[in-house]
Amino acid sequence: RYGSDSYGEMLSEEELVHMLLEEVVDEEIDVNEREIESALRRIPDHQDRHILQNYIRYLERVHRK
C-alpha cells in the first residue's frame, strides 16, 4: 500500500499493471487503422516511419496481453 509499511493482499503482475494503467490512462480512444496507415505513408523519412511502425506494433502487442 502506498505510504504504509503493510503489504496487504498480493497482486498478480497482470493485476498490478492493470491498476497502474487505470491511474495513468485518462481515456481510451478508438483508432482507425486506415487513417494510421495513411498517415504513416505520408512520413517522408524512412527511419522515422519505421520507428513509428515498430512502436505501433509494440502497442498492439501490449494491448492484446
Side-chain angles (χ1 to χ4, degrees), residues 15-63:
E15 290 170 326
L16 178 60
V17 168
H18 182 71
M19 182 182 78
L20 293 173
L21 286 176
E22 283 181 343
E23 292 178 8
V24 174
V25 177
D26 290 333
E27 68 180 271
E28 292 183 23
I29 59 170
D30 291 323
V31 177
N32 183 318
E33 290 183 39
R34 288 183 182 148
E35 288 180 17
I36 299 295
E37 291 170 3
S38 175
L40 286 172
R41 282 193 299 271
R42 290 190 304 264
I43 297 173
D45 186 276
H46 177 73
Q47 186 174 357
D48 289 345
R49 186 170 53 247
H50 185 70
I51 290 169
L52 284 171
Q53 287 170 327
N54 285 336
Y55 184 63
I56 290 169
R57 285 187 202 112
Y58 165 75
L59 293 174
E60 288 171 340
R61 282 193 308 270
V62 169
H63 177 72

Side-chain angles (χ1 to χ4, degrees), residues 4-20:
S4 74
D5 292 334
S6 66
Y7 292 102
E9 177 182 335
M10 291 291 288
L11 298 174
S12 70
E13 181 179 356
E14 183 177 322
E15 290 170 326
L16 178 60
V17 168
H18 182 71
M19 182 182 78
L20 293 173

